[in-house]
Amino acid sequence: MTDTRWLDDTEMAAWRAFLSTSHLLERRIEEQLKAAAGLTHPQYEILVRLADAPDRQMRMTELARGVVVSKSALTYQITRLEKAGLVERTTCPSDDRGVLAVLTEAGLRCLERVAPGHLAVVRAYLVDRLTRDELEVMTTAMRRTERALRE
Amino acid sequence: MTDTRWLDDTEMAAWRAFLSTSHLLERRIEEQLKAAAGLTHPQYEILVRLADAPDRQMRMTELARGVVVSKSALTYQITRLEKAGLVERTTCPSDDRGVLAVLTEAGLRCLERVAPGHLAVVRAYLVDRLTRDELEVMTTAMRRTERALRE
DNA sequence: CCAGGATGGTTCAAATCTGAACAACAAGTA
DNA sequence: TACTTGTTGTTCAGATTTGAACCATCCTGG
């Protein structure tokens, strides 16, 4: 650890751009979702994941891994979404410890109502500004580091 | 707004990969900084920005813009860093409303001590896993959306 | 010179996130 | 069966973030 490998200009530029952009975009998305539906970004992501899942339900731990939040944060948000009537909790039939988060009809309708506005933001600031090649490069690059980060 | 432009497979893959990876990386960085120096990532970024600035000082608002946090979050963190002796507050000579955050000697030393470990993480999960071309594509792509997000 | 509107920072309340501690259950082993 | 170890989800305390409200200061047009 005695000699540090600093980042050269190319590397630093990439890292800084990535960092700033991800934070800026996150803020923008958060703002849009809050204004349009009173949802936070994690909450929206939970709805999306559940909608994509078989039977629109998922185990808590798996869901937390997918959305990339801590278990306790997920517990908090599911409770919140449950009170809003968008999600329900069911005990898992095959594992008495387990809890299944299930998307309700209201939750699905909410998602369908909110998705267009959300996607418009994702498009306006990111997707529509990247070429096809850039999108593909980003996907492979991001997936490579994602896999490393998930060990 | 009647017809929604959904994301096709390529677009969705890129967006999902970007989203997950940025969150995972953020968590990893946070974990490393906390363990190594008891710093949060925003705190670390503040030190970096100040170290790079002329006279190692910056106006609060400008700093908040750079680090991408709200003004109140910056106030909070600067107060925190001030108590830790890493940063000082000075009233701006040219504007009595203004406040200059100044990096102290201790702050600079702290940064120099912490940077290697932090950069090692950035390298291990992101920079070293991307080719030169990928780094450059990412930089131009990210900068394009960053510019849009900053209006 | 002054009113009126921007700008800079701080304070505040409310919401959220995290890790640690915990309790209940699962699953393999002797 | 009884033990041991690992997993699951919740609870809890503490830290942090955000936007709104606020005051002080700047600045421009009349």
Side-chain angles (χ1 to χ4, degrees), chain A residues 81-128:
Chain A
L81 290 170
E82 208 175 15
K83 281 176 185 162
L86 307 180
V87 163
E88 278 174 358
R89 265 186 243 247
T90 308
T91 50
C92 179
S94 62
D95 186 339
D96 281 346
R97 298 167 303 179
V99 171
L100 286 166
V102 190
L103 190 65
T104 64
E105 277 304 320
L108 188 58
R109 281 196 305 273
C110 171
L111 182 58
E112 284 166 350
R113 185 169 51 78
V114 175
H118 170 72
L119 289 182
V121 171
V122 175
R123 274 199 178 288
Y125 294 102
L126 186 71
V127 172
D128 280 354

mmCIF file of all heavy atoms in Angstrom, chain A residues 81-128:
data_model
loop_
_atom_site.group_PDB
_atom_site.id
_atom_site.type_symbol
_atom_site.label_atom_id
_atom_site.label_comp_id
_atom_site.label_asym_id
_atom_site.label_seq_id
_atom_site.Cartn_x
_atom_site.Cartn_y
_atom_site.Cartn_z
ATOM 1 N N LEU A 81 -45.584 1.560 1.894
ATOM 2 C CA LEU A 81 -46.371 1.236 0.703
ATOM 3 C C LEU A 81 -47.620 0.446 1.075
ATOM 4 O O LEU A 81 -48.654 0.543 0.414
ATOM 5 C CB LEU A 81 -45.521 0.435 -0.293
ATOM 6 C CG LEU A 81 -44.396 1.218 -0.974
ATOM 7 C CD1 LEU A 81 -43.474 0.287 -1.754
ATOM 8 C CD2 LEU A 81 -44.967 2.282 -1.902
ATOM 9 N N GLU A 82 -47.495 -0.341 2.134
ATOM 10 C CA GLU A 82 -48.641 -1.117 2.602
ATOM 11 C C GLU A 82 -49.727 -0.161 3.115
ATOM 12 O O GLU A 82 -50.899 -0.317 2.796
ATOM 13 C CB GLU A 82 -48.185 -2.051 3.721
ATOM 14 C CG GLU A 82 -49.007 -3.315 3.828
ATOM 15 C CD GLU A 82 -48.430 -4.265 4.870
ATOM 16 O OE1 GLU A 82 -47.586 -3.836 5.692
ATOM 17 O OE2 GLU A 82 -48.825 -5.442 4.864
ATOM 18 N N LYS A 83 -49.319 0.827 3.859
ATOM 19 C CA LYS A 83 -50.281 1.809 4.368
ATOM 20 C C LYS A 83 -50.939 2.572 3.231
ATOM 21 O O LYS A 83 -52.078 3.010 3.336
ATOM 22 C CB LYS A 83 -49.582 2.783 5.321
ATOM 23 C CG LYS A 83 -49.378 2.181 6.704
ATOM 24 C CD LYS A 83 -48.609 3.109 7.631
ATOM 25 C CE LYS A 83 -48.317 2.410 8.959
ATOM 26 N NZ LYS A 83 -47.226 3.083 9.719
ATOM 27 N N ALA A 84 -50.207 2.729 2.151
ATOM 28 C CA ALA A 84 -50.762 3.429 0.983
ATOM 29 C C ALA A 84 -51.616 2.492 0.134
ATOM 30 O O ALA A 84 -52.207 2.923 -0.857
ATOM 31 C CB ALA A 84 -49.626 4.024 0.154
ATOM 32 N N GLY A 85 -51.640 1.212 0.500
ATOM 33 C CA GLY A 85 -52.476 0.265 -0.230
ATOM 34 C C GLY A 85 -51.883 -0.230 -1.536
ATOM 35 O O GLY A 85 -52.568 -0.852 -2.334
ATOM 36 N N LEU A 86 -50.605 0.030 -1.756
ATOM 37 C CA LEU A 86 -49.993 -0.361 -3.033
ATOM 38 C C LEU A 86 -49.342 -1.733 -2.964
ATOM 39 O O LEU A 86 -49.075 -2.356 -3.984
ATOM 40 C CB LEU A 86 -48.946 0.691 -3.442
ATOM 41 C CG LEU A 86 -49.448 2.136 -3.471
ATOM 42 C CD1 LEU A 86 -48.328 3.080 -3.889
ATOM 43 C CD2 LEU A 86 -50.646 2.272 -4.400
ATOM 44 N N VAL A 87 -49.082 -2.190 -1.749
ATOM 45 C CA VAL A 87 -48.385 -3.456 -1.545
ATOM 46 C C VAL A 87 -49.017 -4.160 -0.348
ATOM 47 O O VAL A 87 -49.556 -3.501 0.538
ATOM 48 C CB VAL A 87 -46.875 -3.205 -1.300
ATOM 49 C CG1 VAL A 87 -46.213 -4.413 -0.684
ATOM 50 C CG2 VAL A 87 -46.179 -2.815 -2.592
ATOM 51 N N GLU A 88 -48.957 -5.472 -0.355
ATOM 52 C CA GLU A 88 -49.416 -6.230 0.813
ATOM 53 C C GLU A 88 -48.329 -7.199 1.265
ATOM 54 O O GLU A 88 -47.487 -7.605 0.465
ATOM 55 C CB GLU A 88 -50.679 -7.037 0.466
ATOM 56 C CG GLU A 88 -51.951 -6.234 0.537
ATOM 57 C CD GLU A 88 -53.143 -7.027 0.042
ATOM 58 O OE1 GLU A 88 -52.942 -8.183 -0.374
ATOM 59 O OE2 GLU A 88 -54.260 -6.484 0.053
ATOM 60 N N ARG A 89 -48.395 -7.566 2.524
ATOM 61 C CA ARG A 89 -47.462 -8.567 3.037
ATOM 62 C C ARG A 89 -48.160 -9.908 3.178
ATOM 63 O O ARG A 89 -49.294 -9.973 3.659
ATOM 64 C CB ARG A 89 -46.943 -8.146 4.403
ATOM 65 C CG ARG A 89 -45.614 -7.407 4.365
ATOM 66 C CD ARG A 89 -45.135 -7.166 5.778
ATOM 67 N NE ARG A 89 -45.064 -5.736 6.062
ATOM 68 C CZ ARG A 89 -43.933 -5.089 6.270
ATOM 69 N NH1 ARG A 89 -42.786 -5.720 6.226
ATOM 70 N NH2 ARG A 89 -43.934 -3.807 6.525
ATOM 71 N N THR A 90 -47.495 -10.977 2.765
ATOM 72 C CA THR A 90 -48.009 -12.320 2.961
ATOM 73 C C THR A 90 -46.896 -13.162 3.566
ATOM 74 O O THR A 90 -45.735 -12.960 3.236
ATOM 75 C CB THR A 90 -48.410 -12.956 1.617
ATOM 76 O OG1 THR A 90 -49.273 -12.065 0.924
ATOM 77 C CG2 THR A 90 -49.081 -14.292 1.821
ATOM 78 N N THR A 91 -47.267 -14.084 4.437
ATOM 79 C CA THR A 91 -46.227 -14.973 4.948
ATOM 80 C C THR A 91 -45.953 -16.023 3.894
ATOM 81 O O THR A 91 -46.861 -16.533 3.254
ATOM 82 C CB THR A 91 -46.671 -15.647 6.262
ATOM 83 O OG1 THR A 91 -47.965 -16.207 6.072
ATOM 84 C CG2 THR A 91 -46.711 -14.639 7.389
ATOM 85 N N CYS A 92 -44.697 -16.348 3.752
ATOM 86 C CA CYS A 92 -44.274 -17.272 2.716
ATOM 87 C C CYS A 92 -44.709 -18.690 3.075
ATOM 88 O O CYS A 92 -44.454 -19.171 4.181
ATOM 89 C CB CYS A 92 -42.767 -17.189 2.569
ATOM 90 S SG CYS A 92 -42.094 -18.301 1.336
ATOM 91 N N PRO A 93 -45.378 -19.389 2.156
ATOM 92 C CA PRO A 93 -45.899 -20.726 2.443
ATOM 93 C C PRO A 93 -44.787 -21.733 2.726
ATOM 94 O O PRO A 93 -44.944 -22.614 3.570
ATOM 95 C CB PRO A 93 -46.616 -21.119 1.143
ATOM 96 C CG PRO A 93 -46.751 -19.861 0.352
ATOM 97 C CD PRO A 93 -45.639 -18.974 0.766
ATOM 98 N N SER A 94 -43.680 -21.600 2.035
ATOM 99 C CA SER A 94 -42.622 -22.607 2.132
ATOM 100 C C SER A 94 -41.614 -22.296 3.228
ATOM 101 O O SER A 94 -40.747 -23.110 3.532
ATOM 102 C CB SER A 94 -41.902 -22.716 0.794
ATOM 103 O OG SER A 94 -41.281 -21.481 0.484
ATOM 104 N N ASP A 95 -41.711 -21.134 3.825
ATOM 105 C CA ASP A 95 -40.741 -20.751 4.849
ATOM 106 C C ASP A 95 -41.412 -19.789 5.823
ATOM 107 O O ASP A 95 -41.684 -18.649 5.496
ATOM 108 C CB ASP A 95 -39.524 -20.092 4.183
ATOM 109 C CG ASP A 95 -38.405 -19.811 5.178
ATOM 110 O OD1 ASP A 95 -38.677 -19.751 6.398
ATOM 111 O OD2 ASP A 95 -37.257 -19.649 4.747
ATOM 112 N N ASP A 96 -41.653 -20.293 7.023
ATOM 113 C CA ASP A 96 -42.408 -19.496 7.988
ATOM 114 C C ASP A 96 -41.715 -18.207 8.413
ATOM 115 O O ASP A 96 -42.348 -17.307 8.934
ATOM 116 C CB ASP A 96 -42.706 -20.337 9.244
ATOM 117 C CG ASP A 96 -43.885 -21.277 8.987
ATOM 118 O OD1 ASP A 96 -44.577 -21.067 7.973
ATOM 119 O OD2 ASP A 96 -44.092 -22.211 9.774
ATOM 120 N N ARG A 97 -40.412 -18.144 8.193
ATOM 121 C CA ARG A 97 -39.725 -16.894 8.520
ATOM 122 C C ARG A 97 -40.009 -15.841 7.455
ATOM 123 O O ARG A 97 -40.016 -14.653 7.689
ATOM 124 C CB ARG A 97 -38.207 -17.105 8.566
ATOM 125 C CG ARG A 97 -37.723 -18.056 9.588
ATOM 126 C CD ARG A 97 -36.272 -18.391 9.299
ATOM 127 N NE ARG A 97 -36.096 -18.930 7.943
ATOM 128 C CZ ARG A 97 -34.928 -19.274 7.431
ATOM 129 N NH1 ARG A 97 -33.820 -19.110 8.129
ATOM 130 N NH2 ARG A 97 -34.850 -19.763 6.215
ATOM 131 N N GLY A 98 -40.201 -16.348 6.241
ATOM 132 C CA GLY A 98 -40.243 -15.483 5.072
ATOM 133 C C GLY A 98 -41.468 -14.604 4.962
ATOM 134 O O GLY A 98 -42.532 -14.920 5.482
ATOM 135 N N VAL A 99 -41.292 -13.490 4.312
ATOM 136 C CA VAL A 99 -42.399 -12.584 4.032
ATOM 137 C C VAL A 99 -42.398 -12.289 2.541
ATOM 138 O O VAL A 99 -41.345 -12.034 1.954
ATOM 139 C CB VAL A 99 -42.246 -11.265 4.818
ATOM 140 C CG1 VAL A 99 -43.270 -10.246 4.356
ATOM 141 C CG2 VAL A 99 -42.358 -11.513 6.310
ATOM 142 N N LEU A 100 -43.571 -12.363 1.945
ATOM 143 C CA LEU A 100 -43.696 -12.019 0.537
ATOM 144 C C LEU A 100 -44.332 -10.642 0.419
ATOM 145 O O LEU A 100 -45.387 -10.387 1.016
ATOM 146 C CB LEU A 100 -44.570 -13.044 -0.192
ATOM 147 C CG LEU A 100 -43.939 -14.408 -0.472
ATOM 148 C CD1 LEU A 100 -44.994 -15.413 -0.880
ATOM 149 C CD2 LEU A 100 -42.879 -14.261 -1.554
ATOM 150 N N ALA A 101 -43.700 -9.794 -0.321
ATOM 151 C CA ALA A 101 -44.321 -8.517 -0.655
ATOM 152 C C ALA A 101 -45.095 -8.719 -1.952
ATOM 153 O O ALA A 101 -44.550 -9.217 -2.928
ATOM 154 C CB ALA A 101 -43.258 -7.446 -0.831
ATOM 155 N N VAL A 102 -46.354 -8.356 -1.938
ATOM 156 C CA VAL A 102 -47.212 -8.564 -3.113
ATOM 157 C C VAL A 102 -47.741 -7.222 -3.604
ATOM 158 O O VAL A 102 -48.240 -6.412 -2.818
ATOM 159 C CB VAL A 102 -48.408 -9.474 -2.765
ATOM 160 C CG1 VAL A 102 -49.146 -9.876 -4.030
ATOM 161 C CG2 VAL A 102 -47.958 -10.692 -1.990
ATOM 162 N N LEU A 103 -47.641 -7.011 -4.892
ATOM 163 C CA LEU A 103 -48.181 -5.789 -5.485
ATOM 164 C C LEU A 103 -49.697 -5.896 -5.580
ATOM 165 O O LEU A 103 -50.230 -6.871 -6.106
ATOM 166 C CB LEU A 103 -47.585 -5.596 -6.880
ATOM 167 C CG LEU A 103 -47.849 -4.263 -7.576
ATOM 168 C CD1 LEU A 103 -47.184 -3.129 -6.821
ATOM 169 C CD2 LEU A 103 -47.357 -4.307 -9.015
ATOM 170 N N THR A 104 -50.417 -4.929 -5.089
ATOM 171 C CA THR A 104 -51.879 -4.940 -5.179
ATOM 172 C C THR A 104 -52.323 -4.391 -6.540
ATOM 173 O O THR A 104 -51.520 -3.862 -7.298
ATOM 174 C CB THR A 104 -52.498 -4.061 -4.083
ATOM 175 O OG1 THR A 104 -52.096 -2.709 -4.307
ATOM 176 C CG2 THR A 104 -52.039 -4.501 -2.708
ATOM 177 N N GLU A 105 -53.605 -4.516 -6.797
ATOM 178 C CA GLU A 105 -54.158 -3.930 -8.025
ATOM 179 C C GLU A 105 -53.921 -2.426 -8.034
ATOM 180 O O GLU A 105 -53.533 -1.845 -9.043
ATOM 181 C CB GLU A 105 -55.662 -4.223 -8.112
ATOM 182 C CG GLU A 105 -55.986 -5.596 -8.667
ATOM 183 C CD GLU A 105 -55.366 -5.838 -10.043
ATOM 184 O OE1 GLU A 105 -55.364 -4.899 -10.868
ATOM 185 O OE2 GLU A 105 -54.873 -6.951 -10.290
ATOM 186 N N ALA A 106 -54.176 -1.823 -6.889
ATOM 187 C CA ALA A 106 -53.967 -0.376 -6.776
ATOM 188 C C ALA A 106 -52.505 -0.035 -7.045
ATOM 189 O O ALA A 106 -52.194 0.971 -7.679
ATOM 190 C CB ALA A 106 -54.382 0.112 -5.388
ATOM 191 N N GLY A 107 -51.623 -0.901 -6.566
ATOM 192 C CA GLY A 107 -50.193 -0.680 -6.790
ATOM 193 C C GLY A 107 -49.852 -0.736 -8.259
ATOM 194 O O GLY A 107 -49.094 0.098 -8.771
ATOM 195 N N LEU A 108 -50.425 -1.694 -8.938
ATOM 196 C CA LEU A 108 -50.178 -1.833 -10.368
ATOM 197 C C LEU A 108 -50.710 -0.622 -11.129
ATOM 198 O O LEU A 108 -50.030 -0.066 -12.004
ATOM 199 C CB LEU A 108 -50.834 -3.112 -10.887
ATOM 200 C CG LEU A 108 -50.513 -3.496 -12.330
ATOM 201 C CD1 LEU A 108 -49.016 -3.670 -12.513
ATOM 202 C CD2 LEU A 108 -51.253 -4.760 -12.735
ATOM 203 N N ARG A 109 -51.901 -0.220 -10.767
ATOM 204 C CA ARG A 109 -52.477 0.952 -11.440
ATOM 205 C C ARG A 109 -51.638 2.190 -11.185
ATOM 206 O O ARG A 109 -51.398 3.003 -12.077
ATOM 207 C CB ARG A 109 -53.911 1.185 -10.963
ATOM 208 C CG ARG A 109 -54.934 0.256 -11.610
ATOM 209 C CD ARG A 109 -56.358 0.777 -11.411
ATOM 210 N NE ARG A 109 -56.674 1.000 -9.998
ATOM 211 C CZ ARG A 109 -57.139 0.069 -9.175
ATOM 212 N NH1 ARG A 109 -57.361 -1.153 -9.621
ATOM 213 N NH2 ARG A 109 -57.395 0.356 -7.917
ATOM 214 N N CYS A 110 -51.177 2.315 -9.952
ATOM 215 C CA CYS A 110 -50.325 3.453 -9.610
ATOM 216 C C CYS A 110 -49.075 3.457 -10.483
ATOM 217 O O CYS A 110 -48.696 4.485 -11.056
ATOM 218 C CB CYS A 110 -49.944 3.392 -8.135
ATOM 219 S SG CYS A 110 -48.692 4.599 -7.654
ATOM 220 N N LEU A 111 -48.471 2.304 -10.597
ATOM 221 C CA LEU A 111 -47.250 2.192 -11.403
ATOM 222 C C LEU A 111 -47.521 2.569 -12.857
ATOM 223 O O LEU A 111 -46.761 3.324 -13.474
ATOM 224 C CB LEU A 111 -46.713 0.762 -11.323
ATOM 225 C CG LEU A 111 -45.410 0.496 -12.082
ATOM 226 C CD1 LEU A 111 -44.304 1.406 -11.607
ATOM 227 C CD2 LEU A 111 -45.008 -0.970 -11.928
ATOM 228 N N GLU A 112 -48.614 2.074 -13.385
ATOM 229 C CA GLU A 112 -48.951 2.371 -14.784
ATOM 230 C C GLU A 112 -49.208 3.855 -14.998
ATOM 231 O O GLU A 112 -48.931 4.404 -16.065
ATOM 232 C CB GLU A 112 -50.185 1.558 -15.200
ATOM 233 C CG GLU A 112 -49.858 0.090 -15.452
ATOM 234 C CD GLU A 112 -51.097 -0.788 -15.526
ATOM 235 O OE1 GLU A 112 -52.204 -0.294 -15.188
ATOM 236 O OE2 GLU A 112 -50.967 -1.966 -15.897
ATOM 237 N N ARG A 113 -49.703 4.459 -13.971
ATOM 238 C CA ARG A 113 -49.998 5.882 -14.059
ATOM 239 C C ARG A 113 -48.714 6.718 -13.976
ATOM 240 O O ARG A 113 -48.578 7.753 -14.632
ATOM 241 C CB ARG A 113 -50.945 6.265 -12.907
ATOM 242 C CG ARG A 113 -51.448 7.682 -12.915
ATOM 243 C CD ARG A 113 -52.588 7.868 -11.904
ATOM 244 N NE ARG A 113 -52.238 7.373 -10.572
ATOM 245 C CZ ARG A 113 -51.468 8.035 -9.701
ATOM 246 N NH1 ARG A 113 -50.982 9.212 -10.032
ATOM 247 N NH2 ARG A 113 -51.192 7.522 -8.522
ATOM 248 N N VAL A 114 -47.774 6.248 -13.186
ATOM 249 C CA VAL A 114 -46.584 7.038 -12.913
ATOM 250 C C VAL A 114 -45.454 6.778 -13.906
ATOM 251 O O VAL A 114 -44.656 7.670 -14.204
ATOM 252 C CB VAL A 114 -46.081 6.751 -11.476
ATOM 253 C CG1 VAL A 114 -44.770 7.455 -11.201
ATOM 254 C CG2 VAL A 114 -47.141 7.150 -10.462
ATOM 255 N N ALA A 115 -45.419 5.559 -14.431
ATOM 256 C CA ALA A 115 -44.284 5.165 -15.274
ATOM 257 C C ALA A 115 -43.982 6.123 -16.431
ATOM 258 O O ALA A 115 -42.815 6.479 -16.637
ATOM 259 C CB ALA A 115 -44.500 3.741 -15.785
ATOM 260 N N PRO A 116 -44.983 6.544 -17.190
ATOM 261 C CA PRO A 116 -44.684 7.415 -18.330
ATOM 262 C C PRO A 116 -43.889 8.659 -17.949
ATOM 263 O O PRO A 116 -42.885 8.982 -18.586
ATOM 264 C CB PRO A 116 -46.074 7.783 -18.849
ATOM 265 C CG PRO A 116 -46.934 6.625 -18.475
ATOM 266 C CD PRO A 116 -46.418 6.188 -17.136
ATOM 267 N N GLY A 117 -44.313 9.339 -16.919
ATOM 268 C CA GLY A 117 -43.609 10.543 -16.502
ATOM 269 C C GLY A 117 -42.193 10.249 -16.049
ATOM 270 O O GLY A 117 -41.257 11.004 -16.335
ATOM 271 N N HIS A 118 -42.043 9.148 -15.368
ATOM 272 C CA HIS A 118 -40.715 8.763 -14.905
ATOM 273 C C HIS A 118 -39.808 8.447 -16.091
ATOM 274 O O HIS A 118 -38.683 8.945 -16.177
ATOM 275 C CB HIS A 118 -40.818 7.550 -13.981
ATOM 276 C CG HIS A 118 -39.506 6.932 -13.645
ATOM 277 N ND1 HIS A 118 -38.595 7.537 -12.802
ATOM 278 C CD2 HIS A 118 -38.929 5.774 -14.046
ATOM 279 C CE1 HIS A 118 -37.532 6.772 -12.699
ATOM 280 N NE2 HIS A 118 -37.698 5.704 -13.448
ATOM 281 N N LEU A 119 -40.317 7.638 -17.001
ATOM 282 C CA LEU A 119 -39.507 7.268 -18.161
ATOM 283 C C LEU A 119 -39.159 8.485 -19.007
ATOM 284 O O LEU A 119 -38.080 8.548 -19.601
ATOM 285 C CB LEU A 119 -40.261 6.234 -19.015
ATOM 286 C CG LEU A 119 -40.366 4.858 -18.374
ATOM 287 C CD1 LEU A 119 -41.072 3.884 -19.304
ATOM 288 C CD2 LEU A 119 -38.989 4.327 -17.987
ATOM 289 N N ALA A 120 -40.058 9.432 -19.032
ATOM 290 C CA ALA A 120 -39.779 10.653 -19.790
ATOM 291 C C ALA A 120 -38.526 11.328 -19.247
ATOM 292 O O ALA A 120 -37.701 11.834 -20.022
ATOM 293 C CB ALA A 120 -40.975 11.597 -19.720
ATOM 294 N N VAL A 121 -38.385 11.327 -17.925
ATOM 295 C CA VAL A 121 -37.192 11.936 -17.320
ATOM 296 C C VAL A 121 -35.945 11.127 -17.657
ATOM 297 O O VAL A 121 -34.913 11.683 -18.043
ATOM 298 C CB VAL A 121 -37.354 12.046 -15.788
ATOM 299 C CG1 VAL A 121 -36.048 12.454 -15.139
ATOM 300 C CG2 VAL A 121 -38.448 13.039 -15.445
ATOM 301 N N VAL A 122 -36.049 9.815 -17.507
ATOM 302 C CA VAL A 122 -34.904 8.951 -17.805
ATOM 303 C C VAL A 122 -34.466 9.152 -19.264
ATOM 304 O O VAL A 122 -33.281 9.197 -19.573
ATOM 305 C CB VAL A 122 -35.254 7.471 -17.551
ATOM 306 C CG1 VAL A 122 -34.108 6.567 -17.987
ATOM 307 C CG2 VAL A 122 -35.571 7.253 -16.084
ATOM 308 N N ARG A 123 -35.438 9.284 -20.125
ATOM 309 C CA ARG A 123 -35.134 9.534 -21.528
ATOM 310 C C ARG A 123 -34.512 10.913 -21.736
ATOM 311 O O ARG A 123 -33.471 11.059 -22.359
ATOM 312 C CB ARG A 123 -36.416 9.478 -22.360
ATOM 313 C CG ARG A 123 -36.814 8.110 -22.817
ATOM 314 C CD ARG A 123 -37.783 8.204 -23.996
ATOM 315 N NE ARG A 123 -38.135 6.885 -24.468
ATOM 316 C CZ ARG A 123 -37.319 6.080 -25.138
ATOM 317 N NH1 ARG A 123 -36.096 6.487 -25.425
ATOM 318 N NH2 ARG A 123 -37.705 4.895 -25.513
ATOM 319 N N ALA A 124 -35.183 11.905 -21.203
ATOM 320 C CA ALA A 124 -34.800 13.288 -21.482
ATOM 321 C C ALA A 124 -33.367 13.581 -21.063
ATOM 322 O O ALA A 124 -32.669 14.350 -21.724
ATOM 323 C CB ALA A 124 -35.755 14.242 -20.770
ATOM 324 N N TYR A 125 -32.930 12.967 -19.979
ATOM 325 C CA TYR A 125 -31.603 13.306 -19.480
ATOM 326 C C TYR A 125 -30.547 12.259 -19.771
ATOM 327 O O TYR A 125 -29.369 12.575 -19.818
ATOM 328 C CB TYR A 125 -31.678 13.590 -17.982
ATOM 329 C CG TYR A 125 -32.473 14.815 -17.690
ATOM 330 C CD1 TYR A 125 -33.782 14.719 -17.236
ATOM 331 C CD2 TYR A 125 -31.943 16.077 -17.930
ATOM 332 C CE1 TYR A 125 -34.538 15.850 -17.013
ATOM 333 C CE2 TYR A 125 -32.692 17.218 -17.703
ATOM 334 C CZ TYR A 125 -33.986 17.098 -17.246
ATOM 335 O OH TYR A 125 -34.732 18.224 -17.031
ATOM 336 N N LEU A 126 -30.975 11.029 -19.956
ATOM 337 C CA LEU A 126 -29.960 9.998 -20.168
ATOM 338 C C LEU A 126 -30.158 9.255 -21.492
ATOM 339 O O LEU A 126 -29.402 9.461 -22.444
ATOM 340 C CB LEU A 126 -29.976 8.998 -19.010
ATOM 341 C CG LEU A 126 -28.840 7.960 -19.073
ATOM 342 C CD1 LEU A 126 -27.511 8.605 -18.760
ATOM 343 C CD2 LEU A 126 -29.120 6.800 -18.127
ATOM 344 N N VAL A 127 -31.164 8.434 -21.556
ATOM 345 C CA VAL A 127 -31.291 7.488 -22.671
ATOM 346 C C VAL A 127 -31.302 8.167 -24.038
ATOM 347 O O VAL A 127 -30.582 7.758 -24.949
ATOM 348 C CB VAL A 127 -32.559 6.621 -22.497
ATOM 349 C CG1 VAL A 127 -32.808 5.771 -23.736
ATOM 350 C CG2 VAL A 127 -32.410 5.730 -21.272
ATOM 351 N N ASP A 128 -32.099 9.203 -24.176
ATOM 352 C CA ASP A 128 -32.198 9.847 -25.483
ATOM 353 C C ASP A 128 -30.967 10.659 -25.842
ATOM 354 O O ASP A 128 -30.820 11.117 -26.968
ATOM 355 C CB ASP A 128 -33.431 10.753 -25.540
ATOM 356 C CG ASP A 128 -34.693 9.942 -25.787
ATOM 357 O OD1 ASP A 128 -34.581 8.726 -26.027
ATOM 358 O OD2 ASP A 128 -35.797 10.529 -25.737
#
